[in-house]
């Protein structure tokens, strides 16, 4: 984005991205699906850095859904390896990431992940907790319905304990018990690869999000595509139910 464009744009505070199309990208090239994920992981890094440069405050990447366990074990383990590689690299390049003011958070159900990954992500969350230039949420073993269920159970326990009256449960109670508690809802959700669905991504938080779809496969997604999505977003007339 040029400096002039940047100066005149309303930057979405929170962008959610569904990194889709890695498998098809690999197939088109006669490669294994895992090669597509590997390329997708490179694009993930590049988009993180670019979003930080242009002033996005929150960025959520959907990397692995609660339903993705249905994939062949080899593919699941290839994706976990890429997550692991990223976490290793984040440790090695800690100074660089910290200097960028990047906070990393995990969203999803971490107990089902390999133990070493849980340790690394928990450490990274702690070490970057005071950074506030950009927050990157990694949605791995994430499902929107699961997230709502988790919130409902937490609230139900409060009711059981007599700390809250059922009639007094309000929207803030639900918001405050989601994995994204305290963060703004996504203004813009991007899904490449020609699919037009949310696939259980931030289903509560997306109530008033703007959507941007494209046929580009995630490994081919560039900073220019992010610019296009943001420029299109600026043409939308968001009314939040008003007039
Ligand atoms: C969807 O494409 C992509 C995934 C299920 C995996 C995305 C994971 C990465 C990019 C690895 C990086 C992760 C982290 C956390 C650093 P698809 O396989 O469904 O594509 P297809 O629809 O073309 O088959």
């Amino acid at each position: 984005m040029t400096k002039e464009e940047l100066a005149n744009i309303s930057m979405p505070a929170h962008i959610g991205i569904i990194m889709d199309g890695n498998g098809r990208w690999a197939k088109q090239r006669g490669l294994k699906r895992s090669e597509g994920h590997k390329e997708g992981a490179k694009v993930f890094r590049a988009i993180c850095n670019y979003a930080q440069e242009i002033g996005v405050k929150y960025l959520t990447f959907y990397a692995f859904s609660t339903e993705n366990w249905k994939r062949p074990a080899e593919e699941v383990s290839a994706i976990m390896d890429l997550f692991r590689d990223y976490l290793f690299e984040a440790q090695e390049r800690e100074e660089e990431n910290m200097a960028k003011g990047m906070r990393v958070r995990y969203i999803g159900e971490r107990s089902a992940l390999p133990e070493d990954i849980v340790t690394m992500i928990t450490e990274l969350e702690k070490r970057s907790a005071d950074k506030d230039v950009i927050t990157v949420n990694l949605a791995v073993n994430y499902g929107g319905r699961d997230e709502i269920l988790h919130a409902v159970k937490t609230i139900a326990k409060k009711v059981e304990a007599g700390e809250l009256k059922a009639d007094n449960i309000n929207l803030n109670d639900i918001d405050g018990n989601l994995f994204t508690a305290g963060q703004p809802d996504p203004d813009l959700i991007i899904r490449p690869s020609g699919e037009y669905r949310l696939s259980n991504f931030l289903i509560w938080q997306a109530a008033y999000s703007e959507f941007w779809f494209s046929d580009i496969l995630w490994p081919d997604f560039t900073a220019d595509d992010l610019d296009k999505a943001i420029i299109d977003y600026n043409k939308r007339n968001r009314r939040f139910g008003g007039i």
Side-chain angles (χ1 to χ4, degrees):
M1 207 172 289
T2 62
K3 274 200 175 133
E4 205 186 338
E5 276 170 329
L6 257 184
N8 292 306
I9 214 120
S10 150
M11 190 57 73
H14 185 171
I15 302 180
I17 303 183
I18 303 177
M19 302 189 282
D20 198 10
N22 296 343
R24 276 163 286 167
W25 183 92
K27 197 172 171 209
Q28 282 173 2
R29 287 160 180 76
L31 300 169
K32 279 170 63 178
R33 293 179 56 84
S34 56
E35 290 299 316
H37 296 315
K38 198 168 155 188
E39 217 48 42
K42 287 186 198 160
V43 174
F44 151 75
R45 286 168 172 79
I47 295 298
C48 271
N49 290 333
Y50 182 64
Q52 186 267 357
E53 283 169 23
I54 61 174
V56 176
K57 299 297 290 178
Y58 295 86
L59 194 54
T60 302
F61 289 95
Y62 202 11
F64 194 84
S65 74
T66 45
E67 289 72 35
N68 284 151
W69 297 105
K70 289 183 214 151
R71 295 186 177 210
E74 189 193 344
E75 181 171 346
V76 170
S77 98
I79 296 173
M80 290 301 156
D81 282 346
L82 290 168
F83 189 18
R84 194 176 274 116
D85 287 349
Y86 171 72
L87 294 168
F88 266 127
E89 188 188 289
Q91 280 174 2
E92 275 170 13
R93 295 195 183 173
E94 175 156 336
E95 258 177 60
E96 202 182 305
N97 283 342
M98 296 296 167
K100 282 186 190 144
M102 193 184 286
R103 179 174 187 179
V104 179
R105 299 187 79 168
Y106 170 82
I107 62 168
E109 182 44 60
R110 66 183 79 201
S111 63
L113 299 178
E115 222 177 294
D116 64 319
I117 289 189
V118 176
T119 307
M120 282 196 286
I121 188 72
T122 310
E123 270 298 301
L124 181 57
E125 283 184 302
K126 263 195 235 157
R127 287 200 307 272
S128 66
D130 63 341
K131 298 293 171 280
D132 60 1
V133 177
I134 184 167
T135 296
V136 174
N137 294 317
L138 301 174
V140 182
N141 193 28
Y142 171 88
R145 288 180 173 177
D146 230 46
E147 181 181 35
I148 295 168
L149 181 63
H150 173 269
V152 167
K153 282 186 183 168
T154 309
I155 296 166
K157 281 179 193 154
K158 280 195 189 153
V159 174
E160 253 177 14
E163 291 165 23
L164 183 64
K165 280 205 156 74
D167 273 345
N168 292 342
I169 298 172
N170 59 33
L171 296 174
N172 290 334
D173 290 315
I174 299 181
D175 265 331
N177 283 294
L178 298 176
F179 300 131
T180 52
Q183 303 187 17
D185 286 340
D187 301 293
L188 172 64
I189 293 185
I190 295 176
R191 181 164 195 160
S193 93
E195 310 283 3
Y196 301 90
R197 53 178 176 267
L198 211 41
S199 301
N200 209 7
F201 182 52
L202 302 178
I203 53 174
W204 174 276
Q205 299 89 329
Y208 285 99
S209 300
E210 296 294 328
F211 292 90
W212 193 82
F213 298 105
S214 142
D215 287 341
I216 304 155
L217 303 175
W218 177 249
D220 291 327
F221 194 91
T222 63
D224 278 351
D225 296 313
L226 185 63
D227 285 350
K228 275 187 212 151
I230 295 171
I231 290 165
D232 277 355
Y233 163 84
N234 269 258
K235 295 176 189 151
R236 309 276 175 93
N237 175 12
R238 300 185 82 192
R239 292 188 295 277
F240 299 96
I243 52 169

